[in-house]
Amino acid sequence: MRIKFLALIALIFTISQSYFAQEKGLIRGFVYDSKAKYPLVNANVWLEGTNRGDVTDFKGYFEIKNLEPGNYTVSVSYVGYKRAKEVVSLGLGEVKTLEIYLEELPYFSVEEIVVFGKPAEVYNQAEIGGREITKKAPRDLGEFVKNFSNVSAVKKGGYALDPVVRGLKFDQLNVQIDNGIKIEPACPIRMDPPASHVQAEDLEKVEILKGPYALRYGPNLGGVLNFVLIKPKRFDKFSVGGKLETGYESNWNGKVAKLTLSGGQRLFDFAVSGGMKDYGNYKDGSGNQVQAGFNIKDWSGKFGFNPGDNHRLQVSVRGIYARNVFFPALLMDERRSDSRIISADYVSKNLSSLINAINLKAYYSKVHHIMDNEFKPTRMMVEAVTDVNTLTQGARAEVGLILGKSVVYLGFDYSKVEKDGFRTRKMLTGPMAGKTFKDTVWQNSYISNLGVFSEYRTGVYDFNLIFSARYDLNYADARTPASSFAGLFSSLSSKHYSFSVSAGIDKAVTSNVKLSVLLASSKRSPNISERYINFLPIGLDNYDYIGNPLLKPETNNSIDLILNSKMLGGVVKGDVFYYYVKNFISAKVRPDLMPKNMGVLGVKQFINIESARLWGFEIGYTSTFSRDYGFSLNIFRTKAWNAVTDEPLPEIPPLEARTTIYYNLFGGKVVPELTVRAVARKSDVSTSYGETQTPGFVLVNFVMSIDYFKFVDISLGVNNLLNKTYYEHLNRRIRTTGVPVYEPGRSFFVNLAIKLGE
């Protein structure tokens, strides 16, 4: 009797559960590109006026469960596409299946390289832009790119940080502006890396392709960083709008002002801007002052002509002027640096059923850099001034072809970099007092590189495939070498023929899981510093460095294994990578050579070592279960060593975990956000480069973005909320004391963006 009673209860429970489940409705469906009909992955799908939604999986599928009967407005958005809305009337227990097709925005860009959602787009790619830039009010783009997973930066002062991706840096990375523009540092100590010639207020977004796989965009050993500057807005009839930005950061007494105007009509458009930054010295968490002030002024303009919907001609000009930029870790400071960039682009799309697009670009960039030791301790013994120049010219042409269900890109790129300049040393003490020496820095050297490339994308049996290859002819020489340098080598000219190849494959194993494999063998020829630098202390350690025109190209043989999955109410991405770099460029002591600079330990010459190895991982989670609140978590690490001696390579960042928590108030118009960084102790260091172990730390930052008012956006917050005294492992040390450059202590900031004519 008891068993029958329990069975009856179970039956009633099952029926009631089925009944109540039937009362709940379901909206599901697929999101596609309206033209090519391929699924759009990670499109945002929300029910307006509710906190319910989903993101599409690798087949473009979404599902929103347990809905009460009623009318719902389904809103779908995706980067680069028009937002779509569809009204659904849902009955009791009803299931509605939708097919939603999004139209790509008509405006096409000459500046961007990252394309999301396209078939066979298996690069390890990411971007940060829009409100993410303005709300954090970055004073320096080298600092800002550290928001990417496994990206760090070499720091010598408060400005002009040099990005590091997975332990590779400087010219091991392909850093460019607006998809192809190169600007070469003039300073031998890289006070003016490429990222320093772009201001955050001019930035629309940052794109990054990790690893040596994207060969279309130039020689690439470790990744591509593309800084996309603000583009003109498109209007049907003549209009003008703009934005006035101003900000303040307390610890630095830092002030920012920027005016941007954009306007035009269908036939032509323009965007012009001008701005300034004035930052003083800052204090670390213990109240010690760090001499790291800087002053920047800049202007820019983009002017476009649109003879048809599928054609665009654009001319861009830019100037930036840095004054009194202090570098506490270096023996000199930047007194002035003036740079110019001019570029012209032509893009044509959808020309025929065969030719999808033609892209043409030409550019010219120039840097004039002066540094001295006026405020350094060595000024008591020697008065030193370095005056150097860099000129870069380049061009790029590419055609995209549609062959059935496949896409082929063919093209070439060319660049020529020329460097020259001198260092003047006036001796003030000792037996040489009163004498003046003039040293050639770059020896009037140049490098030209001509490359041809191709990329093939296709889909076969639910696999997405990419094959890419490029061939580079690289030639370098020094026109007016110093006799002491020329005497070390039989020839100063060098020529390299380099072939690089990469392949990628991905497959959606299930609707929620995608696996990707990337393979490459990619080469990079040595830069001018590595070939022709002439007795200057440019490295991490305290040695004079000399170049080596006999260096071989570095070759990165790499593999990435990537897992993307929808799970745990969000998107999980895991990546394991391994690099085997042959002919890795390092340096060795030359005891037979005498240094030219006071206080250095000796002379080092650039050499190739047989091989170096790097491996690491990146694990990320981004919640998608709610539109109003959520969080992200990223954990990453790179380990690198000399494969011959087993010594760790220098300037490799330690293990790090980073999490961000946010909440959307008032429909997303007010968003508080808390970020916590936990960085591990760095104990595997390169003693031959003078590295020392670095303690770990935990850092807390807070920012609140306010988009509540119609004509103004506000960002305010505090960096280093707990006033921690710390320094990053990649922060250089002060040469005279060995003390690292400490990071700023607690600093409050506010940034206002006032909309004009909108």
Side-chain angles (χ1 to χ4, degrees):
M1 185 71 181
R2 183 179 179 183
I3 294 176
K4 291 181 179 181
F5 177 76
L6 292 176
L8 180 62
I9 294 296
L11 179 61
I12 295 172
F13 178 78
T14 302
I15 294 173
S16 65
Q17 285 292 99
S18 175
Y19 173 77
F20 285 115
Q22 288 176 2
E23 287 186 337
K24 301 292 185 179
L26 169 68
I27 298 176
R28 64 188 182 189
F30 296 86
V31 180
Y32 300 104
D33 174 277
S34 63
K35 183 179 179 181
K37 304 300 188 294
Y38 52 72
L40 296 178
V41 182
N42 289 336
N44 289 303
V45 184
W46 294 98
L47 302 182
E48 291 190 351
T50 76
N51 192 31
R52 304 295 305 280
D54 194 12
V55 293
T56 55
D57 62 22
F58 301 111
K59 295 183 179 180
Y61 179 74
F62 68 91
E63 189 175 86
I64 306 174
K65 301 178 180 178
N66 300 323
L67 298 176
E68 299 289 346
N71 295 324
Y72 294 94
T73 299
V74 181
S75 179
V76 183
S77 63
Y78 193 78
V79 176
Y81 286 76
K82 294 181 180 179
R83 183 184 296 270
K85 295 183 179 182
E86 189 164 332
V87 178
V88 175
S89 180
L90 196 64
L92 186 68
E94 189 175 4
V95 176
K96 285 289 180 73
T97 303
L98 309 176
E99 285 191 1
I100 299 174
Y101 294 88
L102 299 186
E103 292 184 22
E104 197 168 4
L105 291 171
Y107 176 69
F108 55 90
S109 169
V110 303
E111 295 92 352
E112 299 170 81
I113 62 176
V114 173
V115 182
F116 288 95
K118 307 297 184 187
E121 189 72 45
V122 297
Y123 292 142
N124 186 354
Q125 59 191 42
E127 68 173 44
I128 298 178
R131 195 76 176 102
E132 287 297 310
I133 298 173
T134 56
K135 76 179 182 182
K136 294 181 179 178
R139 75 188 75 87
D140 174 71
L141 285 188
E143 180 77 36
F144 178 72
V145 297
K146 291 163 62 177
N147 288 285
F148 286 98
S149 177
N150 217 349
V151 178
S152 47
V154 174
K155 178 173 182 171
K156 312 176 191 83
Y159 181 72
L161 277 69
D162 229 340
V164 176
V165 179
R166 295 177 167 181
L168 298 182
K169 57 184 181 294
F170 305 156
D171 284 346
Q172 292 174 325
L173 303 176
N174 181 354
V175 181
Q176 52 189 256
I177 301 169
D178 282 347
N179 186 14
I181 300 173
K182 302 290 185 66
I183 185 164
E184 181 75 10
C187 174
I189 325 174
R190 294 182 69 93
M191 293 178 180
D192 56 344
S196 69
H197 299 279
V198 177
Q199 296 302 299
E201 295 76 25
D202 275 332
L203 200 64
E204 183 159 303
K205 65 178 177 178
V206 180
E207 301 173 324
I208 183 170
L209 307 179
K210 295 179 184 175
Y213 308 107
L215 301 178
R216 281 172 58 197
Y217 308 109
N220 174 18
L221 193 82
V224 179
L225 277 166
N226 184 35
F227 296 106
V228 179
L229 303 186
I230 291 173
K231 300 173 289 189
K233 293 183 179 180
R234 299 290 294 274
F235 302 94
D236 289 331
K237 59 182 180 180
F238 184 80
S239 302
V240 176
K243 181 169 61 173
L244 174 62
E245 295 179 81
T246 182
Y248 178 78
E249 189 168 0
S250 64
N251 195 332
W252 305 65
N253 191 27
K255 296 173 282 293
V256 178
K258 188 77 170 188
L259 175 63
T260 302
L261 297 176
S262 182
Q265 39 101 319
R266 291 184 65 86
L267 183 62
F268 68 91
D269 50 62
F270 67 89
V272 294
S273 68
M276 59 78 64
K277 287 184 178 178
D278 186 10
Y279 277 69
N281 301 328
Y282 66 78
K283 292 182 179 180
D284 64 20
S286 298
N288 301 309
Q289 189 174 89
V290 178
Q291 190 177 31
F294 58 90
N295 183 277
I296 309 293
K297 291 182 174 63
D298 71 284
W299 59 268
S300 65
K302 285 186 178 181
F303 307 92
F305 176 63
N306 310 294
D309 290 338
N310 296 328
H311 301 270
R312 178 170 177 80
L313 176 65
Q314 179 174 287
V315 176
S316 303
V317 291
R318 178 169 182 78
I320 186 167
Y321 313 93
R323 297 290 184 271
N324 300 323
V325 183
F326 291 96
F327 292 90
L330 301 179
L331 296 175
M332 304 180 86
D333 297 312
E334 183 178 85
R335 192 59 47 223
R336 63 179 294 173
S337 180
D338 299 337
S339 64
R340 301 278 196 284
I341 301 174
I342 303 173
S343 67
D345 293 87
Y346 172 74
V347 180
S348 183
K349 297 186 73 174
N350 302 320
L351 296 179
S352 69
S353 59
L354 173 64
I355 303 176
N356 179 55
I358 294 176
N359 292 266
L360 305 175
K361 179 186 289 287
Y363 66 90
Y364 168 98
S365 64
K366 185 176 182 179
V367 181
H368 178 213
H369 173 88
I370 299 175
M371 60 181 180
D372 61 33
N373 68 337
E374 183 176 352
F375 296 100
K376 299 296 185 182
T378 56
R379 180 62 174 76
M380 302 294 294
M381 297 171 285
V382 59
E383 181 182 305
V385 178
T386 300
D387 190 330
V388 285
N389 296 278
T390 296
L391 174 65
T392 306
Q393 303 171 76
R396 184 178 189 275
E398 177 186 271
V399 58
L401 305 176
I402 299 178
L403 304 176
K405 295 184 178 180
S406 304
V407 179
V408 177
Y409 296 96
L410 302 171
F412 78 90
D413 51 48
Y414 172 79
S415 65
K416 184 177 182 181
V417 178
E418 302 175 73
K419 290 189 176 186
D420 199 13
F422 298 89
R423 178 183 61 171
T424 302
R425 294 178 295 150
K426 182 179 180 181
M427 313 307 292
L428 303 179
T429 61
M432 297 291 185
K435 291 187 176 183
T436 299
F437 299 89
K438 192 172 185 179
D439 309 311
T440 176
V441 176
W442 296 119
Q443 307 185 91
N444 195 13
S445 56
Y446 71 92
I447 293 179
S448 65
N449 193 94
L450 173 63
V452 293
F453 60 83
S454 65
E455 183 176 280
Y456 175 71
R457 305 181 183 190
T458 191
V460 179
Y461 297 112
D462 293 330
F463 287 91
N464 292 322
L465 305 172
I466 288 184
F467 300 98
S468 183
R470 68 177 291 120
Y471 183 80
D472 290 286
L473 170 59
N474 186 279
Y475 183 80
D477 202 358
R479 297 187 182 97
T480 55
S483 57
S484 58
F485 184 91
L488 299 174
F489 306 99
S490 58
S491 174
L492 296 185
S493 65
S494 63
K495 184 182 292 186
H496 299 143
Y497 302 94
S498 301
F499 179 69
S500 302
V501 61
S502 71
I505 181 171
D506 73 31
K507 178 176 174 57
V509 181
T510 70
S511 62
N512 290 326
V513 178
K514 183 177 75 170
L515 295 175
S516 304
V517 180
L518 301 174
L519 300 165
S521 179
S522 183
K523 292 189 176 183
R524 174 194 77 96
S525 293
N527 62 24
I528 289 182
S529 290
E530 294 159 338
R531 281 165 158 155
Y532 300 119
I533 195 68
N534 185 29
F535 290 92
L536 281 175
I538 65 172
L540 167 66
D541 46 6
N542 191 20
Y543 282 82
D544 270 355
Y545 273 72
I546 58 170
N548 182 358
L550 305 180
L551 288 171
K552 301 175 183 178
E554 295 178 310
T555 303
N556 187 358
N557 301 294
S558 65
I559 182 171
D560 269 63
L561 303 176
I562 305 171
L563 168 69
N564 285 276
S565 178
K566 274 186 62 181
M567 62 172 63
L568 305 175
V571 177
V572 176
K573 180 177 181 179
D575 187 344
V576 178
F577 65 90
Y578 177 79
Y579 295 167
Y580 175 65
V581 185
K582 295 182 63 177
N583 296 317
F584 188 85
I585 296 177
S586 184
K588 72 172 183 179
V589 176
R590 287 284 303 264
D592 58 316
L593 298 178
M594 295 295 294
K596 292 186 177 181
N597 288 279
M598 301 174 61
V600 299
L601 301 176
V603 178
K604 277 189 174 183
Q605 181 180 27
F606 286 108
I607 61 165
N608 292 110
I609 60 176
E610 182 179 331
S611 61
R613 304 189 184 195
L614 301 88
W615 75 270
F617 64 86
E618 298 156 13
I619 302 172
Y621 170 81
T622 302
S623 66
T624 58
F625 53 80
S626 172
R627 194 175 187 178
D628 288 337
Y629 60 90
F631 67 94
S632 64
L633 173 66
N634 289 280
I635 305 173
F636 45 89
R637 167 77 192 276
T638 296
K639 186 176 177 63
W641 67 98
N642 182 326
V644 177
T645 64
D646 284 334
E647 182 186 21
L649 295 181
E651 297 188 301
I652 304 298
L655 171 69
E656 179 173 339
R658 183 185 307 155
T659 184
T660 298
I661 304 170
Y662 67 89
Y663 191 86
N664 290 325
L665 300 172
F666 306 107
K669 294 184 179 297
V670 178
V671 184
E673 178 181 296
L674 188 73
T675 299
V676 180
R677 289 182 61 209
V679 179
R681 174 185 177 87
K682 179 68 173 177
S683 57
D684 53 330
V685 297
S686 175
T687 55
S688 68
Y689 273 81
E691 275 195 319
T692 58
Q693 296 185 5
T694 304
F697 61 87
V698 175
L699 187 70
V700 180
N701 296 329
F702 174 79
V703 61
M704 178 178 292
S705 57
I706 303 172
D707 191 17
Y708 191 84
F709 306 101
K710 184 176 181 180
F711 296 108
V712 61
D713 293 335
I714 304 172
S715 296
L716 51 88
V718 55
N719 292 321
N720 195 357
L721 180 65
L722 304 180
N723 202 31
K724 186 79 174 179
T725 303
Y726 76 102
Y727 60 93
E728 307 271 4
H729 180 68
L730 268 60
N731 288 13
R732 294 281 177 89
R733 293 175 176 268
I734 301 172
R735 288 281 171 86
T736 54
T737 64
V739 176
V741 176
Y742 279 85
E743 294 288 336
R746 185 185 297 117
S747 185
F748 298 92
F749 67 87
V750 60
N751 188 59
L752 304 179
I754 303 170
K755 303 169 188 177
L756 305 175
E758 298 184 11

